[in-house]
Amino acid sequence: MTTPEIRPLTLPEVDELLGWAKAEGWNPGIADAAPFRAADQGGFFGCFSEGRMAAGISAVRYGTDFAFIGLYISHPDCRGKGFGRAVWDHAMASLDGRTIGLDGVPAQQGNYARMGFSPAYRTWRWSGRFPALTRASADIVTVTDTLLPAISAFDRRAFPAPREAFLEAWLKPPRIALALLRGDTIRGYGVLRRCHDGFKIGPLFAETPEEAERLFAALAREAGLETVAIDVPETQGEFSACLAGLGFEKGFDTARMYRGTPPRLHPSLVFGVTTLELG
């Protein structure tokens, strides 16, 4: 057997890795590859054996001192052969000197803790169908290019680092991006995207629970009768109670974990995580 090769992934290879995520039941968006890679074109790695990708990972760098690990998968035919650990070690080395975040499922949190990651908070996935009983209000608008600077500034308060390249791609079709305005001021924004099964909302950032509920309703209405899922920090009790009142059900949980100095944020703004793959 030849020595495995580890290298950055091309866009089609990122799409292939997302196909693996679909097979694992992670239900990624159907058009995630391009905006994901826009976040950091060199931030996705694969371990190749005999010319075939055996394992992959995202190790996306944001700004100068933050990064996020996700999409860590070995192909089922290649597990137990060291390919996954090899691509993990390569990815972590590429992020040396940065605070690194990830969202870990309970079964893996002990492993991540042994690698130096500490839990910050839990996130619960809420899923359901939205009863579209209300009309959208005039102060909730579709995000356009002219709003991007204001959205980026708002996003910076809720996310650990600037991510303009990602947002420029993420806020465009086929995803639906809406912002809540008070005059010319952004009070919150959110994104709805079609997944292989239903839709997901993320991020959902807002100044107050009431504004988050209004944005959520406007986004979820766009899904029609299909299932909508959102990953909500456990600290957002009022918003979670609203979802429960709408008939949404709480599913699996993850833990946001950091290795290095935890970022300084306004956690009260985060009602829905952008994605579990990119933070």
Side-chain angles (χ1 to χ4, degrees):
M1 185 174 67
T2 60
T3 302
E5 175 194 12
I6 299 177
R7 61 167 175 79
L9 299 181
T10 64
L11 180 57
E13 289 164 345
V14 173
D15 198 43
E16 179 183 354
L17 184 59
L18 285 164
W20 293 4
K22 175 180 179 291
E24 293 291 321
W26 297 359
N27 194 30
I30 61 173
D32 282 355
F36 275 18
R37 193 165 180 266
D40 180 1
Q41 292 192 8
F44 296 79
F45 297 100
C47 181
F48 291 80
S49 176
E50 308 292 338
R52 173 191 178 196
M53 186 161 64
I57 196 169
S58 60
V60 172
R61 297 161 293 185
Y62 295 103
T64 59
D65 54 11
F66 183 67
F68 203 86
I69 288 280
L71 283 174
Y72 178 37
I73 313 173
S74 293
H75 191 280
D77 295 342
C78 301
R79 292 174 181 170
K81 300 178 181 179
F83 298 129
R85 184 54 190 260
V87 80
W88 169 275
D89 290 343
H90 183 93
M92 293 298 288
S94 77
L95 305 179
D96 188 47
R98 294 172 178 261
T99 291
I100 304 171
L102 58 78
D103 286 312
V105 297
Q108 294 299 322
Q109 288 165 19
N111 291 334
Y112 294 136
R114 286 187 287 273
M115 296 177 186
F117 287 84
S118 299
Y121 58 85
R122 293 170 74 192
T123 296
W124 292 93
R125 176 159 294 176
W126 289 84
S127 301
R129 291 179 172 85
F130 181 71
L133 304 177
T134 59
R135 295 180 180 178
S137 54
D139 55 358
I140 295 179
V141 302
T142 299
V143 173
T144 60
D145 288 346
T146 57
L147 283 176
L148 276 175
I151 292 284
S152 294
F154 188 90
D155 185 83
R156 185 64 185 88
R157 297 168 57 204
F159 192 79
R163 52 175 180 172
E164 287 88 351
F166 169 74
L167 290 176
E168 186 176 353
W170 195 246
L171 299 177
K172 291 181 178 178
R175 289 157 297 279
I176 296 172
L178 301 178
L180 175 60
L181 303 179
R182 180 180 293 171
D184 294 330
T185 302
I186 300 286
R187 296 289 299 177
Y189 87 96
V191 177
L192 175 81
R193 80 191 198 276
R194 178 174 285 282
C195 297
H196 292 277
D197 179 15
F199 289 80
K200 287 181 183 175
I201 291 176
L204 181 62
F205 296 162
E207 296 282 3
T208 67
E210 184 272 336
E211 288 165 322
E213 291 167 19
R214 291 175 59 203
L215 268 170
F216 175 84
L219 289 162
R221 185 183 296 109
E222 298 292 335
L225 297 178
E226 296 193 58
T227 299
V228 176
I230 182 170
D231 296 302
V232 181
E234 63 180 339
T235 52
Q236 297 292 8
E238 184 177 338
F239 181 63
S240 295
C242 169
L243 294 175
L246 291 170
F248 278 61
E249 295 184 354
K250 186 165 67 172
F252 75 90
D253 67 295
T254 57
R256 172 61 57 88
M257 306 179 76
Y258 295 110
R259 193 177 86 167
T261 304
R264 294 182 179 180
L265 298 171
H266 296 275
S268 62
L269 298 176
V270 181
F271 293 85
V273 174
T274 305
T275 77
L276 299 184
E277 296 86 4
L278 266 67

